Amino acid sequence: MPIATNLAPSVAFVTLGCAKNEVDSQEMAAKLVRAGYPLVDDPEAADAIIINTCSFIQAATEESIDTFFALAGLDRVAAGDAKIIMAGCLPARYGADLESELTEAQAFVPCSREDDIVQVVAGLFPDRLPAAPQLADDGTIGANEYALTTAGDSPWVAYVKISDGCNRMCSYCTIPFIRGRYHSFTLEQIEADVAYKVASGVREITLIAQDTGRWGADFEERKTLAQLMGHLAERFPETWFRVMYIQPEGVTDELLATMRDHENICSYLDIPFQHAAKPVLRAMNRRGCGDDFLQLVSHVRETVPDVTLRTTLIAGFPGETEEQFAEMLDFIEEAELDYVGVFPYSREDGTKAAELEGQLDEELKQERAQEVRDLADGISAGVIAARVGTRMPVLVLGREEDGQLFGRAQCQAPDVDGVTFVSAGKPGDIVEVEISGTLMYEMEGE
């Protein structure tokens, strides 16, 4: 029978993809630490390397595979002294086919099995089971808990996932095949996660999911995202809350009122419109059209006057005509959104869109995506420049290499919207500044 030792194998994580994967890595890491497995930052020093992969689009799949082979080439892995565990979206999407191709991996852990990560690691090292970890006086495991997933590599901000899976079945999207059906996490689970992070010093929490606006709709006693956010804002009044990835149908009057009435809820909405031409949206298996979205944007701004709006758009969808592409450009000009993320359409095996007629060549898709980026960047620069002279709170996050302090205002989401450079304060402080200058997405505050 294996004996617990103090020579438990060390574990390193390499996480690819979106913030939701970062949260999944956090949860796996916390389980391992609670079981007594030490964590290390450097994969070259680890006995077990867990690659949490992304395969949402082909480029992400290729990055995951390239990362795998780079890690498989490390000296300790090649010598058999370290083992690779491939987790997350790639094994969830490709299953047995992946196992037969990537024989250098010792284990595959799809999204649905990530709760079993301790058993997986123990199975790979049966003669090196860990002794029980030493608990602190308060019952926690201490600094090595590694239980915070930080947003933008800062201990002051964190992500909290409020649900998993998706029921929408957009014709281009692989998420339902990877993550399964939509299911909300309970209020008690979410509140406990938030409470832990706030107690650890986090000042801003970003709520994420594949479809945040649907939270609570699958409960026996139906709940809403507005109720969740209002509850958290009142329970943790010194903490900023932000919500990302909310579909147009999820932007309700109840949510807007909750956002408007709570100063610690960031007046920020990330709404993935994806296109503006109705025929393209129907082919995507999505609702709405450019006029509907413009009405929604106008209504949001009337209800929450200081709101910041972000969207994502797909260029070069199968069958997209010049006129339909021009309709999307017109929408961008009229909407004047703060931030726009743009992606060329990616043809993904197993999706309905991959079988549609009218597939555009890669060069044209890239050209159209770049045209959207150029237009959107020019509009964003003007919208951001209009903030000069306004006053706003900024959460100080750290210093640049030259010592310059930087942080983020409520109008800047982690990782995607730039930062604000400030002249005073220390990391973790929330300071009031007047915006004195901008350069594209960056701002300067005094």
Side-chain angles (χ1 to χ4, degrees):
M1 174 181 243
I3 299 174
T5 74
N6 289 320
L7 298 176
S10 59
V11 182
F13 279 82
V14 177
T15 303
L16 306 171
C18 67
K20 292 177 283 294
N21 270 14
E22 294 285 351
V23 173
D24 292 341
S25 288
Q26 162 226 323
E27 293 175 351
M28 286 190 285
K31 286 180 171 64
L32 288 166
V33 170
R34 292 187 184 108
Y37 290 92
L39 298 176
V40 295
D41 292 329
D42 184 2
E44 294 190 47
D47 298 308
I49 305 169
I50 299 175
I51 312 173
N52 193 1
T53 59
C54 177
S55 64
F56 176 56
I57 58 174
Q58 188 60 34
T61 299
E62 292 171 0
E63 181 187 14
S64 294
I65 293 174
D66 289 346
T67 301
F68 168 79
F69 282 119
L71 293 169
L74 294 177
D75 290 343
R76 296 192 69 238
V77 176
D81 297 327
K83 303 180 187 297
I84 293 180
I85 300 168
M86 179 171 280
C89 298
L90 205 62
R93 182 174 178 185
Y94 294 105
D97 291 341
L98 196 69
E99 297 182 26
S100 64
E101 293 292 331
L102 303 182
T103 56
E104 297 87 346
Q106 279 70 47
F108 294 86
V109 182
C111 303
S112 60
R113 285 192 57 216
E114 287 175 352
D115 284 346
D116 301 329
I117 192 63
V118 172
Q119 292 89 332
V120 172
V121 174
L124 294 178
F125 299 90
D127 298 324
R128 298 177 61 186
L129 298 182
Q134 294 297 309
L135 297 182
D137 292 338
D138 62 358
T140 66
I141 298 173
N144 198 32
E145 172 77 31
Y146 195 73
L148 290 179
T149 291
T150 60
D153 297 323
S154 167
W156 315 110
V157 290
Y159 294 112
V160 167
K161 195 160 68 167
I162 64 173
S163 67
D164 207 354
C166 187
N167 293 350
R168 289 188 175 272
M169 301 302 293
C170 297
S171 65
Y172 54 84
C173 186
T174 59
I175 291 297
F177 313 124
I178 295 171
R179 294 282 178 173
R181 300 287 290 177
Y182 183 91
H183 58 280
S184 301
F185 301 158
T186 67
L187 174 61
E188 292 75 19
Q189 289 174 310
I190 296 167
E191 184 172 351
D193 195 0
V194 170
Y196 179 87
K197 289 175 168 62
V198 170
S200 301
V202 168
R203 302 298 308 274
E204 177 189 356
I205 286 177
T206 299
L207 305 180
I208 57 173
Q210 276 76 29
D211 186 357
T212 50
R214 190 178 173 83
W215 182 84
D218 54 333
F219 292 156
E220 185 174 342
E221 184 179 343
R222 185 184 178 96
K223 302 291 184 183
T224 66
L225 177 63
Q227 291 172 329
L228 171 66
M229 296 199 72
H231 175 81
L232 294 175
E234 291 167 13
R235 171 76 172 76
F236 305 97
E238 303 302 317
T239 305
W240 287 2
F241 289 93
R242 182 188 307 274
V243 62
M244 303 288 283
Y245 317 127
I246 182 165
Q247 299 294 335
E249 300 92 330
V251 184
T252 64
D253 286 343
E254 181 191 21
L255 178 64
L256 295 177
T258 300
M259 183 176 292
R260 180 195 60 209
D261 296 341
H262 292 82
E263 290 187 1
N264 61 326
I265 296 180
C266 299
S267 296
Y268 186 107
L269 286 172
D270 171 31
I271 312 171
F273 292 125
Q274 307 298 21
H275 211 280
K278 189 170 184 177
V280 176
L281 287 162
R282 292 299 174 274
M284 290 179 172
N285 196 30
R286 293 179 64 85
R287 302 175 185 174
C289 63
D291 287 342
D292 293 341
F293 300 155
L294 287 173
Q295 290 178 20
L296 176 60
V297 167
S298 177
H299 178 63
V300 170
R301 285 172 170 159
E302 289 173 0
T303 309
V304 188
D306 61 342
V307 72
T308 299
L309 294 175
R310 161 177 277 277
T311 196
T312 51
L313 299 168
I314 297 173
F317 193 78
E320 180 189 70
T321 65
E322 289 284 355
E323 292 77 13
Q324 291 164 348
F325 176 64
E327 192 172 339
M328 180 161 61
L329 296 178
D330 290 342
F331 168 75
I332 295 169
E333 288 189 327
E334 291 187 58
E336 293 187 317
L337 302 174
D338 298 79
Y339 305 103
V340 177
V342 186
F343 302 92
Y345 165 72
S346 178
R347 189 176 188 178
E348 299 298 318
D349 291 341
T351 63
K352 289 185 177 180
E355 307 303 320
L356 292 176
E357 296 181 358
Q359 301 284 335
L360 306 185
D361 64 55
E362 289 300 320
E363 184 177 357
L364 180 57
K365 289 191 289 186
Q366 293 290 343
E367 286 177 358
R368 288 186 176 180
Q370 190 59 53
E371 187 173 350
V372 175
R373 286 192 194 100
D374 292 343
L375 174 62
D377 282 348
I379 292 170
S380 293
V383 172
I384 295 167
R387 298 173 185 165
V388 172
T390 62
R391 297 179 65 85
M392 58 183 67
V394 171
L395 172 59
V396 182
L397 299 177
R399 292 183 182 272
E400 300 275 85
E401 290 184 2
D402 62 1
Q404 172 66 60
L405 281 167
F406 70 92
R408 281 187 298 99
Q410 290 193 352
C411 58
Q412 295 171 312
D415 300 322
V416 292
D417 294 340
V419 298
T420 300
F421 297 103
V422 297
S423 56
K426 63 180 186 296
D429 286 348
I430 294 177
V431 298
E432 188 81 11
V433 305
E434 180 174 313
I435 303 303
S436 57
T438 64
L439 179 61
M440 279 301 296
Y441 298 123
E442 317 292 358
M443 303 192 300
E444 293 181 355
E446 298 178 355

